[in-house]
Amino acid sequence: MPVAVTPLESTIRLRVQVGTAAGGDPVLRSRNYDQVKPSATDQNVFDVAQALAGLHRDPVVQVLRVDEKALTAV
């Protein structure tokens, strides 16, 4: 059965290191930025993420793009 894909929304997720646990492992938290145009290129999303990272006090260890899509049978 063929499937139609409809992009709904995208989110920029920054993983930041907020500290170090007693065992020496990094403590990570996620910061999400919604309302990213699904049509935005990955390069544009990364550039915006880098600009947002510059506003954080904690170091950014990973940049993620989370895309939500609707799947419907055709």
Side-chain angles (χ1 to χ4, degrees):
M1 173 181 307
V3 174
V5 178
T6 306
L8 297 177
E9 59 185 56
S10 291
T11 300
I12 296 172
R13 180 173 296 152
L14 301 179
R15 301 271 299 167
V16 297
Q17 183 175 346
V18 296
T20 305
D25 294 328
V27 177
L28 302 176
R29 297 286 184 261
S30 294
R31 306 288 187 249
N32 296 319
Y33 298 91
D34 299 328
Q35 299 184 359
V36 176
K37 288 184 180 182
S39 60
T41 66
D42 290 336
Q43 182 64 54
N44 288 340
V45 171
F46 184 76
D47 292 342
V48 169
Q50 292 291 49
L52 290 169
L55 300 174
H56 282 273
R57 168 185 59 182
D58 301 314
V60 174
V61 297
Q62 189 175 38
V63 175
L64 300 165
R65 177 180 183 163
V66 181
D67 293 321
E68 186 174 315
K69 300 175 183 181
L71 305 176
T72 54
V74 183

